[in-house]
Amino acid sequence: MKFFYFVICFMCVNFLEAVCLSERTYRAGVLHLGRELPIKDDESVIYEAGKMHVDILVLPSYSAKDSGNYDEIVSFLSKMAKQAGLYIVTHLYESVKCHHNDEIVRNNIVFDRKGSVVSVYRNPVSNFANCSSSPSELVEFTTDFGITFGSLMMEDIILHDVQYMKGLKNFVMTGADAEAGVLDAAQFSSSWSYVNDVVLISESGIHTGKGGSKSSGRLTVTDIQSGLGSKPVVPSVPVINPSQVPSQYIFRPLNLEASSQGYTETVCHNNLCCEFYVKTKNTGPTDVSYGLAAFDDVRPISRYNIGVQNCAVFACASLYKRSCNLGPYNNTNVYFEKISITGNFTKQKAQYPIIHSTSMLPTENFKFDSNLGSQSTRVALEIVDGQNILKLGIFGRDFSKDSESIFTQSNSESTYDIYELIFNDDVQEFVDYVWIRIRILIVVVSIYVLEMM
Ligand SMILES: *[C@@H]1O[C@H](CO)[C@@H](O)[C@H](O)[C@H]1NC(C)=O
Ligand SMILES: *[C@@H]1O[C@H](CO)[C@@H](O)[C@H](O)[C@H]1NC(C)=O
Ligand SMILES: *[C@@H]1O[C@H](CO)[C@@H](O)[C@H](O)[C@H]1NC(C)=O
């Protein structure tokens, strides 16, 4: 009898395994490492990924400093892809001779298992590039495991609408410059993957649509199933020390007294109105002031100015007129029994939920609805039983307001902080700060000059 059960069990396990294996489409890997190490250090990790039967591996972007070593890096990666027997995707800067100048071009480059370059997606760094231009269409490549991938640079998921993605379900994304200290947009990547229910293999991790995100240690490896997960997962966020001051938002302070009973507030900016319903339970004294905010305007990103529409709740250390100083909180002592945010956005299907909390939020406590009636562009985000919420909002795009930026940018400035773009972008404040510093310097120099006279 025991043996009989054993056989049944054995068959069950085999059956389950067969089901699982037949669902497995491919194995993806991401190497999380700064680029400060010499290239050779990648070798061991690439071999390790090869031994783990990774089909496609995304390496961190190389920096603009390496643009002169383009050929050397390409031949190294080609050799590695061949030896480890996997697809390698990375981001390389290339210095191109253009008339008598050098033009810097960014490349998403893909090697197949034989080490051949199967896809190159090139983008000039500046919009005054004379010898290179961005392709107008999504660059794609098909692998020997039967999947067609779209090749994206980090800004693409912000710049383009869903039509650009041509209905593809799998994407690789690179293009963050680690050296410039730019955040990897981990948060937005997971939200983008979640809302569009597509696989996004990026430097920040492997995002599998409604199936959630994975990022762990030095090398993240995940099997991608053919049917994407259907279990909604809150796009979870690493804690980033927020310090910027969003001043272009329209703010209204959250009234904690009123919210203990539950209350509704509407904040509008230009064409966007955000309705907030907040019910809180105060769990102790708090020095956080929450701001309810709306933003509907144009913001710079990369070489472009883009239309952005945001509805958000921020935890502010101090809230003064139209600015909110974000504090480095871990614990806000405010317990949200419920927050719902609803906005009347301009464009359909171009909104993403953003949640930044230092506490875990179970999946069941999160609801995102971007389809409130077929004609409607009303989008709602709802959280119940949320703790230590630092930022919470709906990031939306209004593509009709996009234009090419008139300013060219130097190399280091051509990188962008999507996180900053989503929540705040205080160029003016920064300029003021620099100006104050320069003025101090001028005063010091003047005194020095006067003394010498
Ligand atoms: C591109 O051409 C314009 C005008 O012909 C010139 O002013 C500019 O310096 C060129 N840029 C580069 C990067 O060569
Ligand atoms: C928040 O938590 C981190 C890590 O646990 C800690 O390093 C930091 O000092 C804390 N910050 C505050 C303001 O408590
Ligand atoms: C959103 O609502 C406000 C106030 O009702 C209105 O002025 C605005 O036109 C609406 N925006 C859209 C895109 O419908």
Side-chain angles (χ1 to χ4, degrees):
M1 201 60 190
K2 255 190 190 153
F3 179 72
F4 180 69
Y5 280 133
F6 178 77
V7 167
I8 296 271
C9 267
F10 187 73
M11 280 166 67
C12 274
V13 167
N14 267 338
F15 174 73
L16 285 174
E17 224 168 59
V19 166
C20 288
L21 284 179
S22 72
E23 268 200 8
R24 163 160 123 67
T25 310
Y26 64 95
R27 184 168 286 179
V30 172
L31 171 60
H32 310 277
L33 261 196
R35 262 277 161 248
E36 62 277 0
L37 296 167
I39 310 172
K40 287 272 176 279
D41 286 5
D42 288 354
E43 256 183 67
S44 61
V45 187
I46 297 173
Y47 281 130
E48 192 183 326
K51 284 203 199 92
M52 292 169 82
H53 304 290
V54 165
D55 293 301
I56 185 162
L57 178 69
V58 171
L59 297 181
S61 300
Y62 285 80
S63 87
K65 249 186 14 209
D66 297 322
S67 61
N69 304 330
Y70 183 82
D71 293 335
E72 190 193 327
I73 299 172
V74 166
S75 71
F76 165 76
L77 291 175
S78 161
K79 199 181 84 194
M80 293 311 303
K82 191 172 172 186
Q83 286 178 4
L86 42 69
Y87 281 77
I88 288 181
V89 184
T90 193
H91 189 80
L92 280 174
Y93 287 80
E94 181 183 7
S95 178
V96 182
K97 272 270 171 279
C98 172
H99 309 308
H100 294 291
N101 296 318
D102 284 331
E103 210 164 270
I104 304 289
V105 181
R106 303 160 67 210
N107 291 285
N108 267 7
I109 183 160
V110 184
F111 302 86
D112 69 8
R113 295 187 215 265
K114 297 191 201 91
S116 314
V117 173
V118 287
S119 164
V120 181
Y121 164 25
R122 318 179 92 209
N123 235 339
V125 164
S126 108
N127 47 351
F128 293 127
N130 295 327
C131 301
S132 44
S133 61
S134 313
S136 54
E137 289 219 321
L138 173 71
V139 173
E140 39 186 287
F141 61 95
T142 301
T143 55
D144 62 3
F145 46 95
I147 299 285
T148 299
F149 287 89
S151 175
L152 300 172
M153 294 191 191
M154 214 172 73
E155 69 274 21
D156 289 325
I157 59 172
I158 293 270
L159 289 176
H160 301 290
D161 65 5
V162 283
Q163 270 89 49
Y164 177 82
M165 308 302 164
K166 292 186 183 165
L168 290 185
K169 282 286 180 195
N170 295 268
F171 297 87
V172 289
M173 182 171 78
T174 66
D177 188 336
E179 264 189 1
V182 168
L183 294 166
D184 181 306
Q187 188 175 23
F188 186 69
S189 307
S190 70
S191 188
W192 186 84
S193 160
Y194 173 85
V195 167
N196 296 310
D197 203 12
V198 294
V199 175
L200 180 64
I201 309 167
S202 77
E203 291 171 59
S204 68
I206 301 172
H207 310 289
T208 59
K210 300 278 192 276
S213 297
K214 193 175 171 191
S215 170
S216 57
R218 193 174 182 214
L219 179 66
T220 300
V221 172
T222 296
D223 284 346
I224 309 290
Q225 316 294 331
S226 50
L228 290 177
S230 56
K231 193 163 157 265
V233 173
V234 179
S236 62
V237 195
V239 176
I240 300 159
N241 272 350
S243 60
Q244 298 91 352
V245 186
S247 68
Q248 295 150 328
Y249 281 78
I250 298 295
F251 271 103
R252 196 133 313 154
L254 169 66
N255 182 340
L256 278 175
E257 212 163 293
S259 68
S260 63
Q261 305 299 316
Y263 85 121
T264 305
E265 178 78 270
T266 302
V267 183
C268 299
H269 185 209
N270 296 336
N271 246 337
L272 174 70
C273 281
C274 308
E275 280 167 40
F276 299 88
Y277 172 80
V278 191
K279 189 158 191 319
T280 57
K281 200 158 70 185
N282 218 342
T283 54
T286 180
D287 38 9
V288 179
S289 312
Y290 277 97
L292 310 175
F295 180 86
D296 177 16
D297 214 332
V298 173
R299 308 275 286 270
I301 173 183
S302 176
R303 301 179 285 128
Y304 307 89
N305 286 316
I306 60 165
V308 170
Q309 295 190 309
N310 277 358
C311 289
V313 176
F314 296 102
C316 315
S318 61
L319 192 62
Y320 176 71
K321 285 189 182 164
R322 287 181 60 174
S323 74
C324 153
N325 291 296
L326 304 168
Y329 295 111
N330 287 341
N331 191 334
T332 64
N333 271 347
V334 178
Y335 181 89
F336 289 94
E337 283 180 18
K338 183 170 171 181
I339 310 184
S340 72
I341 305 176
T342 309
N344 64 343
F345 293 86
T346 305
K347 172 100 170 66
Q348 265 186 310
K349 293 195 192 311
Q351 289 79 31
Y352 299 89
I354 305 288
I355 300 163
H356 180 184
S357 163
T358 53
S359 301
M360 284 301 290
L361 190 71
T363 305
E364 317 78 84
N365 296 6
F366 162 85
K367 214 158 74 187
F368 182 68
D369 199 344
S370 59
N371 210 0
L372 303 172
S374 57
Q375 293 304 308
S376 172
T377 51
R378 284 169 66 82
V379 176
L381 172 64
E382 189 184 294
I383 297 286
V384 293
D385 298 329
Q387 260 175 303
N388 297 324
I389 288 180
L390 303 182
K391 293 169 181 178
L392 175 72
I394 305 170
F395 170 76
R397 288 276 285 114
D398 179 358
F399 298 101
S400 67
K401 291 194 181 145
D402 293 5
S403 63
E404 284 226 342
S405 150
I406 52 166
F407 300 107
T408 184
Q409 286 163 316
S410 76
N411 265 349
S412 61
E413 284 164 343
S414 71
T415 45
Y416 12 75
D417 183 337
I418 291 177
Y419 187 83
E420 218 172 279
L421 171 86
I422 290 168
F423 280 116
N424 48 61
D425 168 50
D426 212 334
V427 177
Q428 189 57 47
E429 221 88 359
F430 179 67
V431 169
D432 284 348
Y433 174 73
V434 171
W435 175 229
I436 288 166
R437 294 287 291 265
I438 290 172
R439 270 200 303 209
I440 291 171
L441 200 66
I442 290 171
V443 171
V444 171
V445 169
S446 311
I447 290 169
Y448 188 68
V449 169
L450 284 174
E451 271 176 4
M452 289 212 312
M453 288 196 320

